């Protein structure tokens, strides 16, 4: 609901401010009875009106506000006080608690002083007694007290003696530095032969005796024997671990090296000589396949390096194997790849091999297109184009480039795209049968 406003006029021409300024209100814009906001009325200030003073921050000597103590007790503390009053327990103040603690400590000190005084008097009285008096007092105790009570007294004496020994061990250095006492104490021993033998039971607090390993036992067992007497017993069984026979040494220069290798290390596997043919030295036919002494070389036997450059037989035989151009093909001794070998390698299942074949074939197609190996009607160029067509090199490259990087290996896609671009850059020609 919209609130209706009021219109009023203020006279701003007068320079003198009157204490009672009248506001002219338009009667046509009076407040509606349904309005929730009342009119603002200004009233004159009187001398008795007190203006509010700004708040003052109580400072301290260090510049920080002083700690404000709570004016009322928290609800949790009130409930705790009610529970204590309901149970009849009054909360003690700190002075009362301190007084009670000091009182209990004084009582303990007084009690310990009393025990020490009694012990001192007993020791002094025993020191003043003669041997006859001690024997008489001992007989009176044995006849007047029960054996069970005497046993409890002896046990208590042992426990107190252990406690005193423990206290002395804690202050060993301080006790050892003290001078020996001049006073002599008499030791009293009770002979219980006349009144029955009473011995205190073993206690867990008594230290266990120390045994000497070199000392002979007091009551040795009857069946004890020296170690030397066991020589007649049988020796423990020995374990035998079989060892495999040592294989004979093989000579790699032996003509039957591969057959001996199979019979020595893999006798249970079937023999396949064709799988090990690449390990055999090349024969005369493989050596003469790309020899410098040849007069004519087929275009399918021409070899190229990884940059697409043609390698003649003389140069191919001089390249060392460390360049990576040697492989187990038709001529293992010759370096380089032929176009049929690269076409076969481009269909490999290993992406790295396909990348090498794509890259090399693209560079060969570029050089072949721009006429590096001769004019288009030259016999070498015609033979190379025929090898490209028979190996379906262009179909393989275009298929791999059109596949995209999302559906296959991205590196293969990039190298195939580069190879197609180089083929188109060199003219994009195809071999035509004549």
């Amino acid at each position: 609901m919209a609130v209706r406003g009021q219109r009023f006029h203020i006279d701003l021409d007068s320079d003198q401010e009157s204490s009672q300024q009248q506001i002219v209100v338009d009667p046509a814009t009076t407040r509606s009875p349904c309005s929730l906001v009342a009119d603002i009325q200004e009233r004159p200030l009187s001398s008795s009106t007190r203006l509010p003073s700004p708040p003052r921050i109580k400072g301290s000597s260090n510049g920080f506000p002083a700690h404000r103590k709570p004016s009322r007790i928290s609800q949790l503390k009130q409930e705790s006080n009610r529970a204590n009053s309901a149970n009849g327990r009054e909360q003690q103040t700190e002075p009362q608690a301190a007084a009670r603690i000091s009182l209990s400590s004084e009582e303990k000190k007084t009690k310990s002083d009393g025990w020490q005084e009694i012990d001192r008097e007993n020791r002094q009285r025993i020191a003043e007694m003669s041997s006859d008096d001690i024997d008489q007092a001992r007989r009176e105790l044995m006849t007047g007290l029960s054996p069970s009570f005497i046993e409890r007294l002896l046990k208590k004496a042992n426990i107190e003696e252990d406690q005193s020994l423990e206290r002395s061990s804690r202050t060993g250095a301080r006790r050892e530095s003290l001078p020996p006492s001049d006073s002599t104490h008499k030791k009293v021993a009770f002979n219980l032969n006349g009144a029955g033998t009473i011995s205190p039971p073993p206690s867990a607090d008594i230290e266990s005796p120390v045994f000497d390993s070199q000392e002979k036992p007091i009551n040795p067992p009857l069946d004890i024997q020296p170690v030397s007497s066991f020589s007649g017993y049988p020796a423990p069984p020995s374990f035998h671990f079989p060892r495999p026979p040592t294989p004979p040494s093989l000579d790699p220069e032996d003509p039957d090296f591969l057959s001996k290798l199979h019979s020595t290390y893999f006798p249970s596997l079937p023999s396949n000589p064709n799988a090990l043919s690449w390990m055999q030295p090349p024969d005369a036919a493989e050596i003469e396949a790309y020899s410098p002494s040849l007069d004519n070389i087929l275009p399918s036997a021409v070899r190229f390096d990884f940059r697409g450059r043609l390698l003649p037989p003389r140069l191919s035989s001089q390249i060392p194997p460390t360049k990576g151009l040697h492989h187990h093909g038709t001529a293992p001794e010759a370096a380089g790849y032929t176009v049929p070998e690269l076409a076969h390698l481009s269909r490999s299942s290993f992406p790295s091999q396909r990348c090498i074949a794509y890259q090399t074939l693209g560079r060969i197609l570029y050089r072949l297109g721009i006429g590096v190996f001769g004019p288009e009607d030259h016999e070498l160029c015609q033979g190379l184009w025929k090898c490209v067509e028979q190996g379906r090199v262009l179909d393989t490259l275009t298929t791999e480039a059109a596949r995209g990087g999302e559906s296959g290996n991205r590196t293969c896609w990039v190298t195939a795209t580069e190879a197609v671009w180089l083929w188109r850059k060199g003219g994009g020609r195809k071999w035509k049968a004549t």
Side-chain angles (χ1 to χ4, degrees), residues 157-357:
N158 291 335
I159 294 174
E160 291 179 353
E161 184 178 358
D162 294 339
Q163 292 178 355
S164 62
L165 289 175
E166 185 178 357
R167 295 193 201 98
S168 62
S169 63
R170 293 177 182 175
T171 57
R174 186 171 57 85
R175 294 290 179 87
E176 291 177 1
S177 60
L178 295 177
S181 177
D182 297 337
S183 61
T184 58
H185 300 284
K186 294 183 179 181
K187 298 182 179 180
V188 180
F190 294 93
N191 188 6
L192 304 180
N193 294 331
T197 303
I198 300 173
S199 61
S203 176
D205 298 336
I206 300 176
E207 297 181 358
S208 60
V210 179
F211 298 97
D212 189 4
S213 60
Q214 303 297 332
E215 185 179 359
K216 296 182 178 181
I218 300 175
N219 298 321
L222 299 178
D223 58 346
I224 187 171
Q225 296 179 7
V227 180
S228 59
S229 62
F230 290 94
S231 59
Y233 287 88
S238 60
F239 297 95
H240 171 67
F241 296 97
R243 296 181 180 179
T246 305
S249 58
L250 301 178
D251 185 12
E253 302 296 335
D254 190 359
D256 299 333
F257 170 73
L258 296 179
S259 59
K260 291 181 179 180
L261 178 67
H262 180 268
S263 60
T264 303
Y265 293 98
F266 311 100
S268 59
L269 298 179
S271 178
N272 187 9
N274 295 329
L276 301 178
S277 60
W278 62 273
M279 298 182 63
Q280 297 179 357
D283 52 7
E286 293 176 345
I287 295 175
E288 295 295 332
Y290 203 68
S291 174
S293 60
L294 295 177
D295 297 334
N296 298 322
I297 299 176
L298 297 176
S300 59
V302 176
R303 298 186 172 272
F304 301 89
D305 61 359
F306 292 134
R307 292 186 175 273
R309 295 174 296 190
L310 192 146
L311 296 177
R314 182 181 54 80
L315 181 60
S316 177
S317 61
Q318 297 176 0
I319 296 177
T322 55
K323 298 298 183 179
L325 293 173
H326 290 77
H327 56 88
H328 303 283
T330 56
E333 295 294 329
Y337 289 84
T338 63
V339 174
E341 290 174 350
L342 292 173
H344 179 74
L345 196 63
S346 64
R347 293 187 292 271
S348 173
S349 60
F350 294 95
S352 58
Q353 293 182 351
R354 296 203 306 269
C355 291
I356 294 175

